[in-house]
Amino acid sequence: MEKLKWSKQIFGSKLEIMQGDEQIGKIDWENMLSSKAQAIIKGRYFTLNREFFLSKLEIFDGNSMALLATVMVNVFNPRSDVVINGKRFELEVKNFWQSRWSWKYNGAEIITFNSHEFVSKDKGTIELATPMNEEVEILILLGLFVRNQFILFILLLLAVLFFVIV
């Protein structure tokens, strides 16, 4: 089982994906609250986009701008599906705090994400139970993009609660 690491500053706009000491990927948002991001993994470029209220996330080929996958996310439903190259993958969020989530194929976990920190830096691991290929690269980026959107939603919710209480 291959293990990758990822890290992102909570209030930052850059996420890194590491394999050992080598950076193999990154996601760059225009700013912390941006709905668009540019990504690269293993030398391939991608564009990520989300609708305003987090429901629809899309990933495009960075060169041809061809739509590669769309996932509909509901913060109150821990499961979502995406079809890539005719194969159906299922995203499952394992807990409310979004610290463990995975992609499944035919019921088996193929990519598992874990988050280890939340205070000033969000970081964690990605465990691959399948070889790296185009679909896995897309799923890794989508999984981390989904995570970022959930964190933004939680921060927004906390800010609203703070202003309601104050």
Side-chain angles (χ1 to χ4, degrees), residues 55-161:
S55 60
K56 183 169 132 181
L57 305 174
E58 301 169 315
I59 187 166
F60 298 87
D61 181 279
N63 294 318
S64 70
M65 292 309 292
L67 179 63
L68 301 173
T70 300
V71 61
M72 300 299 285
V73 178
N74 179 342
V75 294
F76 304 107
N77 181 357
R79 295 175 193 252
S80 301
D81 292 340
V82 66
V83 176
I84 303 171
N85 296 332
K87 298 177 186 171
R88 184 175 112 8
F89 299 92
E90 180 182 314
L91 175 68
E92 181 178 4
V93 179
K94 303 290 188 175
N95 60 26
F96 177 77
W97 296 109
Q98 318 299 321
S99 64
R100 183 167 154 70
W101 64 109
S102 66
W103 284 107
K104 294 181 178 181
Y105 180 66
N106 288 335
E109 285 187 357
I110 60 168
I111 305 171
T112 303
F113 300 85
N114 289 291
S115 175
H116 303 303
E117 291 185 20
F118 185 75
V119 178
S120 64
K121 189 170 189 170
D122 202 11
K123 68 180 182 178
T125 57
I126 305 166
E127 295 178 18
L128 304 177
T130 188
M132 186 73 87
N133 61 32
E134 175 187 355
E135 294 156 356
V136 171
E137 292 169 1
I138 291 169
L139 293 171
I140 288 170
L141 293 174
L142 278 175
L144 293 169
F145 196 64
V146 166
R147 163 71 178 185
N148 188 69
Q149 303 320 307
F150 276 123
I151 295 301
L152 287 177
F153 177 77
I154 289 170
L155 290 173
L156 179 64
L157 185 62
L158 290 173
V160 168
L161 289 173

